[in-house]
Structures are given as structure tokens and as C-alpha cells.
Amino acid sequence: MFENVEPEIVGPPKGEFDYKDVETFTRYLDANGRLYSRKRTGLDAQGQRQLKKSVKFARFLALIPYGA
Amino acid sequence: MTEIKHTYQAMFLLDNQEVRKGYAEARDWVRSTLEKHGAEVSVLRLWAEQELAYPIGGRHRATYLLGWISGTGQSVNEAKREMYLVGPVFRVLFLKAESIPEEELAYGIQDLKEGELVIPEDLPEEEEEEVYAEDLEPNVAEGEEAAAEGSSEEVTEPETPTEPTEEAQEAAAKSDGAEAAEEEPGEDVKPEEESSNV
């Protein structure tokens, strides 16, 4: 009845996350601007926290929208 | 209490209307405000001029200034507080950094050549008012429906009453008198048959 579909893993970036590098971390956001989970991003805990902070800084500076 | 100096990366969002008056003036205002509160400005350069992801205070575009400064936490906070009160800056982000990258140090306090920063004119906002039939008053809604139905028919304006001339007034008075005379005997007439029977 329910298919257990494995999500596509994005994978870690080449360097560290930077809030100014919008193109890099928009790969980790869905169409509504929400962050993918660790299961889908394939990042470790530290990387996921860096990503979360970068996205929030970018949203504050109106580089990316808060929602769809 | 000892105040420790830190290195900060700062991003300033400048109002395009202020930057149009002069980029150098806006940049110098930011620099002087930071230095007034005790921070040292190592780098202050133009990062981008672009459209905002969402409007901030009616602004749809902004000029981004990237700076690298060193100072105490108190100096940074005081500068930020002043920037939000006055001046061309409408949003600031300070982030603590370990050191200033060499690539950034090469910029220093950046001067722009003429034509290097082109700011497009602000487009007028398009106001989209969504009017729902539920929000309208019932009489208004009915009136609009009736107007929509009868829109195909020709609409004639009602004739305005004209003032009667003197001759017409006299003629009307005479005719009224004649009608009154005709009506009076009619009212007083009693059935003769009833009286004869008695």
C-alpha cells in the first residue's frame, strides 16, 4: 500500500556553507523554501547546523524568501 | 570588565534612493558610524545591487555592502542600534569571524568608478485589490447585478419638468374651475326613488 521510496541524497558541498552563496544551499531546499532533513541532505550534524544557519542568515538579508 | 576585540563580517542593506544620491556618501556614512562607536573598518566594498526576495518597507531592490570590521561587542551593538534609527541602512547582519581573508583585504575601502554601479529605477507598485461579493453590502451587490443585466438596454434620462408658462397656468385654472362645477351637483344628488317611497 505505502511504497517506501528512498529519498535522493543531495550530498555534502565542496566547502563550508556561506550565506552569500545562495546557489549552493538552495539545492538543500524544497520548492517551498523548507530545508531537507538530514536523511535527504546526507550531511553530518555539524554540516546540517551550518546549513540551517546559512539559510536563516540569507532569509534575513532577503537573498532567499521565507516561503514559497 | 575587559572588552575583547573581535573580527566581524558585516553585511549592510542600503536604500537605493540614498545610494542614487551618492554611493561614496552612503559608504562614508556607514564607515563613520562604525568608527564613531569604536570599531575599526578594514574592508567596505560593494557586494551586489539586486532585487530583494521579499519587499522590505516598500523597497524591492537594495544595495548590499560587505564589510570586515574589528571591535568590541558593545561597539558593534551601538553602531547597529544607530543604523536602524537613522541613515541609509535598513538591515544589518554582523557575524563573528576568525580572521579577514586576504582576498577581502585587497578591496579595502572601495571606490567605484562612474557607471560601475547602475541602479535601475523603481517600478510603481501594482495594487491588486481583490473584491469579493461577500464583502460588499447586499444593496450594492444587487444593484451591480441589476446593472449588469440591464446594461444591454438603452438607458434614457428622465425628462426634467419645465416651468409652466402664464397662459398654461390660466388655462389650467379655468379647467379646474369647470371640473369643480361639474362635480358639485353630482355629490349633492340624492336618489329620488328612496324619498318617493317614504
Side-chain angles (χ1 to χ4, degrees):
Chain A
M1 187 175 174
F2 296 104
E3 292 181 12
N4 190 10
V5 180
E6 285 292 320
E8 188 184 342
I9 296 171
V10 185
K14 290 177 182 176
E16 288 186 355
F17 287 107
D18 185 10
Y19 70 91
K20 299 189 291 294
D21 192 4
V22 176
E23 287 181 8
T24 304
F25 60 71
T26 45
R27 291 165 57 222
Y28 300 92
L29 304 175
D30 67 3
N32 293 322
R34 297 174 67 181
L35 264 171
Y36 287 143
S37 64
R38 270 188 67 191
K39 186 178 176 182
R40 188 147 183 183
T41 57
L43 297 171
D44 56 357
Q46 195 181 353
Q48 188 77 8
R49 280 200 301 274
Q50 284 179 1
L51 172 64
K52 181 188 76 176
K53 282 200 165 187
S54 303
V55 168
K56 287 182 178 182
F57 291 146
R59 282 175 182 162
F60 176 70
L61 292 173
L63 297 173
I64 56 170
Y66 277 95
Chain B
M1 187 178 154
T2 56
E3 291 182 348
I4 304 165
K5 273 196 169 186
H6 296 286
T7 305
Y8 293 94
Q9 181 192 154
M11 184 69 91
F12 307 95
L13 266 74
L14 303 182
D15 192 349
N16 271 355
Q17 286 187 349
E18 299 289 331
V19 178
R20 270 196 206 98
K21 293 173 188 172
Y23 163 78
E25 291 171 8
R27 182 206 59 198
D28 288 341
W29 187 89
V30 174
R31 186 185 177 185
S32 63
T33 307
L34 288 165
E35 287 176 347
K36 188 168 75 180
H37 294 284
E40 290 176 23
V41 183
S42 306
V43 179
L44 202 56
R45 71 175 177 92
L46 177 73
W47 183 69
E49 193 286 319
Q50 65 180 41
E51 192 176 352
L52 300 171
Y54 53 90
I56 303 173
R59 304 174 190 90
H60 294 274
R61 298 186 70 88
T63 306
Y64 289 77
L65 268 188
L66 181 64
W68 290 86
I69 63 170
S70 56
T72 60
Q74 190 185 351
S75 64
V76 167
N77 276 333
E78 285 173 358
K80 188 198 282 186
R81 202 176 302 138
E82 190 178 340
M83 282 175 184
Y84 276 126
L85 288 173
V86 287
V89 179
F90 63 90
R91 196 156 281 197
V92 198
L93 179 70
F94 287 100
L95 291 177
K96 207 180 282 183
E98 290 180 3
S99 61
I100 304 171
E102 289 183 5
E103 303 159 5
E104 293 290 335
L105 274 173
Y107 284 105
I109 308 296
Q110 190 186 24
D111 281 321
L112 292 179
K113 296 170 188 173
E114 286 185 9
E116 201 167 348
L117 174 62
V118 181
I119 300 169
E121 290 184 8
D122 295 331
L123 296 172
E125 289 185 21
E126 294 178 1
E127 292 181 3
E128 293 180 1
E129 290 184 4
E130 294 180 356
V131 181
Y132 300 100
E134 297 165 359
D135 299 337
L136 294 171
E137 292 178 11
N139 294 337
V140 177
E142 288 172 8
E144 285 184 356
E145 286 174 7
E149 287 173 2
S151 60
S152 59
E153 296 174 2
E154 289 182 4
V155 179
T156 54
E157 291 182 3
E159 291 179 3
T160 54
T162 54
E163 292 182 3
T165 58
E166 291 180 359
E167 293 175 359
Q169 282 178 355
E170 287 175 5
K174 284 177 183 176
S175 65
D176 288 344
E179 285 175 5
E182 287 174 359
E183 288 173 0
E184 280 173 4
E187 291 174 357
D188 295 336
V189 173
K190 292 177 183 177
E192 293 176 359
E193 293 176 0
E194 289 179 5
S195 61
S196 62
N197 292 335
V198 172

